[in-house]
Amino acid sequence: MAFQFDSARDFLIMSGHGPFVWAAYGVSLLVLIYLVAGPLLRARARLREIRQQNAAQNRRRKTAGPDAASDAPAANR
Amino acid sequence: MVSSRFLQWFHRLGSPRGFYEISGKWLPWLSLVTLVLVVTGLVWGLGYAPQDAKQGNSFRIIYIHVPAAFLALAGYYVMAVAGAIGLIWRMKLSYMVMKAAAPLGAALTFISLFTGALWGKPTWGTYWVWDARITSMLVLFFLYLGVLALHYAYTNKDAANKAAAVLALVGTVNIPIIYKSVDWWYTLHQPATIKLTGGTSMHPDMLQPLLVMIIGFYCFYVLSLVLFTRAEILHRERRTRWVGDLAGAGRGGN
């Protein structure tokens, strides 16, 4: 199977259908990337948030001292 | 006979934590396979497949349009079945998968409609027509959004899960309509070129990259669904100890 275009320029122009083909592929690829990057970044952010909350809780516990009554539970979200 | 070890693993896979840990091991492989298939299919379809005799190079949009449409439809069944399992067996993880499938399906439906519009312009002279298939795909898009929106409409998580599952199940009637619309009604959209039985009317040089892209999109769907589900698991299980440990700050939640 051979490359179907005579030059890179022809490949971009696609015999006049270039704008349609490249817009279709371009937007679709952006959406596909978002469908992978989005949940990955969200998961990372959630873990970070939990880590910060836990760290804050630990600091409060240390300050209160080991014999003090336990802290009130963290606010429900 | 199914070994008990497999049953144990399967049972573990059905819990949020088990799913998270097991899927984490599969992610690198799944990503690699998906990437290879999709890139191969794209390069092949864009550069090496012959152009269509009537449509010319705009035909190449098929390599995204058809796989996206297939997955938009298949993904709806995934979402509906996940909802049904959640309703019948009250399985937490199943509801999470159902919620994860909604934005994914919506995005794939959008891709299918968008690429279809851009293909329609040079082919039919119009970006949009209210024919049976295109209209029912638009309905599919709104069904996906509706299922997602229902999750946010209820403060009670159980009520949200159930309402979304019911909508997902009710909407399944739309899928056969989409499939058969090109046969039942006069539509601008062409009938199926790929049939489950028998041959297809497409030349193999055009068909092969399409098959690669379809398989690649199936892998992509699984990858994205797993990622969305994992993010949802972390959110819903955020107060558990295992998530706390995973986040890594010493003592976790309850």
Side-chain angles (χ1 to χ4, degrees):
Chain A
M1 210 174 290
F3 192 64
Q4 297 286 312
F5 300 91
D6 295 323
S7 69
R9 199 169 162 272
D10 283 346
F11 186 56
L12 281 176
I13 295 179
M14 292 247 165
S15 337
H17 289 159
F20 302 105
V21 173
W22 295 116
Y25 274 72
V27 169
S28 303
L29 280 175
L30 285 176
V31 173
L32 293 181
I33 290 170
Y34 169 76
L35 286 174
V36 167
L40 262 178
L41 292 173
R42 206 174 319 146
R44 218 164 281 180
R46 286 195 176 134
L47 284 175
R48 195 168 44 240
E49 204 178 295
I50 293 168
R51 184 167 57 245
Q52 286 165 351
Q53 280 185 339
N54 287 347
Q57 267 189 343
N58 287 343
R59 274 198 299 276
R60 266 184 266 127
R61 265 193 218 102
K62 280 207 190 92
T63 321
D67 298 319
S70 62
D71 279 331
N76 277 339
R77 303 245 264 108
Chain B
M1 280 301 282
V2 185
S3 80
S4 80
R5 192 156 162 234
F6 172 75
L7 284 173
Q8 276 173 5
W9 174 86
F10 191 71
H11 192 259
R12 192 171 153 234
L13 187 66
S15 73
R17 176 180 182 177
F19 181 90
Y20 190 91
E21 290 170 349
I22 292 172
S23 66
K25 299 192 189 122
W26 286 87
L27 277 180
W29 297 109
L30 190 53
S31 312
L32 185 65
V33 167
T34 303
L35 192 66
V36 166
L37 283 172
V38 172
V39 168
T40 303
L42 281 180
V43 169
W44 193 349
L46 272 173
Y48 293 84
Q51 59 175 295
D52 185 75
K54 280 184 249 166
Q55 297 176 22
N57 281 311
S58 69
F59 158 81
R60 299 183 190 283
I61 294 179
I62 198 177
Y63 297 112
I64 300 214
H65 177 79
V66 165
F70 272 28
L71 266 307
L73 296 178
Y76 194 87
Y77 278 132
V78 169
M79 185 174 74
V81 167
I85 293 175
L87 283 172
I88 297 170
W89 285 290
R90 302 174 192 285
M91 191 177 161
K92 271 200 297 183
L93 180 68
S94 203
Y95 277 137
M96 296 184 202
V97 169
M98 175 187 73
K99 184 177 177 195
L104 177 54
L108 288 168
T109 313
F110 168 78
I111 288 177
S112 141
L113 287 170
F114 185 77
T115 54
L118 285 169
W119 193 359
K121 183 64 176 162
T123 312
W124 303 324
T126 177
Y127 288 111
W128 186 266
V129 66
W130 291 100
D131 86 345
R133 168 158 285 188
I134 301 177
T135 305
S136 47
M137 282 298 277
L138 186 65
V139 168
L140 183 70
F141 180 67
F142 288 130
L143 278 170
Y144 273 121
L145 292 183
V147 169
L148 188 59
L150 277 179
H151 278 104
Y152 297 103
Y154 293 81
T155 40
N156 178 300
K157 182 119 270 146
D158 277 334
N161 285 335
K162 286 192 185 135
V166 167
L167 178 60
L169 285 166
V170 164
T172 51
V173 70
N174 189 36
I175 306 294
I177 292 177
I178 295 174
Y179 266 125
K180 292 305 229 166
S181 59
V182 289
D183 296 328
W184 290 341
W185 294 293
Y186 172 77
T187 60
L188 197 52
H189 198 286
Q190 65 178 95
T193 36
I194 297 180
K195 307 188 202 318
L196 279 176
T197 58
T200 120
S201 47
M202 200 186 287
H203 189 281
D205 284 350
M206 295 171 162
L207 182 62
Q208 283 159 3
L210 183 59
L211 293 175
V212 169
M213 280 301 272
I214 290 173
I215 299 172
F217 260 67
Y218 267 99
C219 296
F220 175 85
Y221 182 88
V222 175
L223 174 65
S224 183
L225 185 65
V226 164
L227 289 174
F228 271 105
T229 306
R230 285 163 67 90
E232 188 63 21
I233 289 172
L234 288 179
H235 174 65
R236 295 202 190 189
E237 304 273 296
R238 63 189 177 277
R239 294 199 202 95
T240 62
R241 180 175 202 121
W242 73 269
V243 172
D245 290 343
L246 191 68
R251 215 197 122 176
N254 331 336

